[in-house]
Every structure is written in structure tokens, then in C-alpha cells.
Amino acid sequence: MDDTRTAADLVLDTVPLTGTPWPTIDPFLFCVHHDDRYPAGNGRFGPAPSLAGRELGADFAGVDGWRMYHGLEVPGFPQHPHRGFETVTYVRRGVIDHADSLGAAARFGAGDTQWLTAGRGIVHSEMFPLLRDDAPNPLELFQIWLNLPAESKLADPYFSMLWARDVPVVTTRDDHGRAGRITVIAGAVEGHAPPPPPPDSWAARADAEVAIWHLDLEAGASWTLPAAGHDAVARVLYLYEGAARIGPADVEAATGVVVRADVPAPVTAGDDGAQVLMLQGRPIGQPVAQYGPFVMNEEHEIEEAFADYRRTGFGGWPWASDDPVHAAGRGRFARHADGTEEDVAPAPAAG
């Protein structure tokens, strides 16, 4: 295919990113960008300003630029179940405190990614403790749900951390010396591969060509996404900040651009740069039955998921509260279900 035809055929569709979650295509189920300008904390990991007037337990309004979500004092998502898919949580700023029914726990942020296979069932909480009482506590993260094929939906749950120190960040320079930074969460870029995904993940299959990349392009910088190996692979570029030319299309934030994956995709940032999240993968191509946090193939499997959760609690909840947070002075760490621990670094500062 010549270059002209490649450019003309590259963009398949554009969709506005007017709400949450963002629209996704198989094998992805869900993608949300949380960007909260949390204020200074109150000494108990919650916000110092009054919570009066907020719909606590379901505060998604973004009053003053931040949300409590389902938290009552600490922002975040107290214990809730999942079955039949995976969550991939990539944090750009701030911290998350994780706890789950396996007994695993973590504090992660500042470029870390948590990859959790729910499989046959897990309960976890994701709280956003405001660690600093003397300064704002901004939090920015992406949470992505990746589907599991039928044969893996009841796999054993699996908790893993991709620490920032192990995740490649590829610096590129175009012909004019303008720079881009490509954070490689899944799938390789120019020979730079991140840590492997969990063993039962769709992303663990080489022929699935799952990739999750974050592009940070300075003003006017260009970078061309390499072609995937198969024309069945789906690829979406979420331009959420700035502006860019993607192939022949000039797009502004906030826009999702569905592009062909089997041809290179040139991206050139606008005058204010561009921030782009790219999701790619070969579709699983199976029926999807979903009810809230359960994603299976058939409706009767959803009923079984509820019955199993009522009966077993997916292993029960070993924590003293529904919304546990870790000690104020604890840095980034993970404690795995088998009791092994990783201490990674001091808690990342806000900012």
C-alpha cells in the first residue's frame, strides 16, 4: 500500500469523549480517566474542606474539581466484587491504596500500574488517601477493563504490580528535534517491552497483540505508531488533552480516534502538545453478558456469579473496614497473597 492510500484509509471513526466511561471496542470493556485536583488532607486521609452538599456514597459531580466517588471520608471505591475480566490501573499522579479478598495490599502511584485478573471472583477496594496536609493532593489515573475469553473467565484471581521503575518510557525525537515520551504498559515499542501481564490475560497471548501506550508529545512533535501484525487488530487513540493531526484528520481534545492497526499511524501534536492513550488488541469475538462488576458470556453465568458471591463472598473480606488505607508514612509497596512483600520507594509526593 502506498503512503497516500495509507494516510487516506487510516482513520475509521471518531467519537467525542463527552462523558465517562470512554467508548471502547473489543477486547476492551471500559476505560475511564480520573483527574481530580484534591485539596490538602485533614489528617485522616480525607479532604480538609467541608463535604457538606456532596452526595456522599455516590459523589461524581466534580465540585471544585474533585470527587469523593463512593468514599464517605477518604475518596475512592470501597470494597466491591469483580468476576470475568481484568482491571489495569495506570497512575500518573497521586497514590492508590489497594486491598483485596486474597489478602493482598498495595500503595502505588507516580507511574505504577496495577494489573488485576478477577477471574472467578475477587473483592477489592481502591482508595485515594490524601497523604499531604500541607499541600494539594492531585490524582490522575486511567482504569481500563480488559475482557477475558470464555476459557479464562473462571481462572484463579491474580494480583500483579508493574512498578514505574520497570515500565519502559521511550523518548523519541522527530526530524526537527521535538520530543515525545511513550510509556509502554503493554506491548513492545521499538524493542522496549514492559513486564509480562498476568498468565491468564488475553494480553499474555502473543497473537492477541494487546498494547497499552501513553503518548506525551510536546508542541509540534511527531511520532508514528508502528503497524500491528494483523489487520484484525483493533486500535483506538484517545486524545484527551491538546490537539493533534492523526493521519489526515485534525482532532481536538476530547476525541477518540479509531484507526486501522495494520498500517503505521502518524501523530503530530498541536501548538499545546498532545496527551494520548492508545488501546490495541485483537478482538476476542465472543458474546458479552454484563451486569455491573460481572462480565461473562451468557446471562445464566451472571446469575451464577451473583449466587457465588452471596454464598462465598469470593473469599471473604479480611480487612477491618470496607475502605482500608495504609499507614501515613508507608511508601509504595505491595504485599502479595502468599505473604511476600515488595518495598519500592517512599510515598510519592503530590504534584
Side-chain angles (χ1 to χ4, degrees), residues 20-178:
T20 57
W22 293 342
T24 55
I25 55 180
D26 189 1
F28 299 95
L29 299 163
F30 175 98
C31 181
V32 65
H33 179 220
H34 293 299
D35 192 1
D36 288 280
R37 300 187 300 275
Y38 288 116
N42 62 4
R44 300 182 303 278
F45 305 114
S50 171
L51 300 179
R54 291 180 180 268
E55 188 181 355
L56 292 183
D59 173 30
F60 289 79
V63 176
D64 296 328
W66 51 275
R67 304 155 182 81
M68 288 296 293
Y69 300 104
H70 295 300
L72 299 180
E73 179 167 9
V74 180
F77 297 86
Q79 65 148 314
H80 55 282
H82 290 306
R83 171 180 274 191
F85 64 98
E86 299 183 287
T87 61
V88 182
T89 307
Y90 166 50
V91 184
R92 300 198 70 219
R93 295 186 297 168
V95 295
I96 296 179
D97 277 3
H98 165 90
D100 67 36
S101 54
L102 302 175
R107 171 170 286 165
F108 63 100
D112 301 328
T113 297
Q114 182 199 75
W115 198 314
L116 184 67
T117 303
R120 58 183 165 79
I122 195 169
V123 181
H124 75 152
S125 70
E126 303 154 289
M127 305 308 297
F128 310 149
L130 308 188
L131 300 180
R132 297 191 63 170
D133 300 338
D134 59 348
N137 292 272
L139 175 74
E140 182 188 2
L141 67 95
F142 296 92
Q143 186 166 94
I144 300 154
W145 291 10
L146 176 61
N147 202 6
L148 287 167
E151 62 269 25
S152 301
K153 282 193 174 292
L154 297 183
D156 289 340
Y158 193 94
F159 162 84
S160 60
M161 291 300 311
L162 283 63
W163 300 110
R165 66 187 182 190
D166 302 321
V167 172
V169 178
V170 180
T171 299
T172 67
R173 291 202 177 271
D174 62 20
D175 293 342
H176 301 284
R178 291 179 286 233

Side-chain angles (χ1 to χ4, degrees), residues 115-318:
W115 198 314
L116 184 67
T117 303
R120 58 183 165 79
I122 195 169
V123 181
H124 75 152
S125 70
E126 303 154 289
M127 305 308 297
F128 310 149
L130 308 188
L131 300 180
R132 297 191 63 170
D133 300 338
D134 59 348
N137 292 272
L139 175 74
E140 182 188 2
L141 67 95
F142 296 92
Q143 186 166 94
I144 300 154
W145 291 10
L146 176 61
N147 202 6
L148 287 167
E151 62 269 25
S152 301
K153 282 193 174 292
L154 297 183
D156 289 340
Y158 193 94
F159 162 84
S160 60
M161 291 300 311
L162 283 63
W163 300 110
R165 66 187 182 190
D166 302 321
V167 172
V169 178
V170 180
T171 299
T172 67
R173 291 202 177 271
D174 62 20
D175 293 342
H176 301 284
R178 291 179 286 233
R181 287 168 49 88
I182 318 302
T183 303
V184 188
I185 299 159
V189 171
E190 299 179 356
H192 298 274
D200 291 295
S201 177
W202 185 244
R205 308 184 185 198
D207 64 347
E209 295 198 62
V210 171
I212 302 172
W213 303 337
H214 181 271
L215 285 60
D216 179 358
L217 302 179
E218 69 180 30
S222 295
W223 185 65
T224 298
L225 283 70
H230 196 283
D231 61 4
V233 174
R235 176 182 279 178
V236 183
L237 303 178
Y238 297 99
L239 174 68
Y240 66 93
E241 188 175 310
R245 172 175 282 266
I246 299 175
D250 289 314
V251 291
E252 303 278 344
T255 305
V257 183
V258 183
V259 299
R260 290 184 55 173
D262 61 332
V263 296
V267 179
T268 300
D271 292 341
D272 296 321
Q275 301 283 331
V276 180
L277 179 72
M278 192 280 294
L279 300 183
Q280 171 190 293
R282 180 166 61 84
I284 293 172
Q286 295 175 353
V288 173
Q290 179 174 356
Y291 192 95
F294 303 143
V295 182
M296 303 301 290
N297 298 110
E298 306 290 343
E299 291 298 330
H300 72 88
E301 295 171 320
I302 297 294
E303 297 171 6
E304 291 168 1
F306 275 103
D308 287 350
Y309 178 54
R310 287 192 294 267
R311 184 177 67 255
T312 70
F314 294 163
W317 187 246

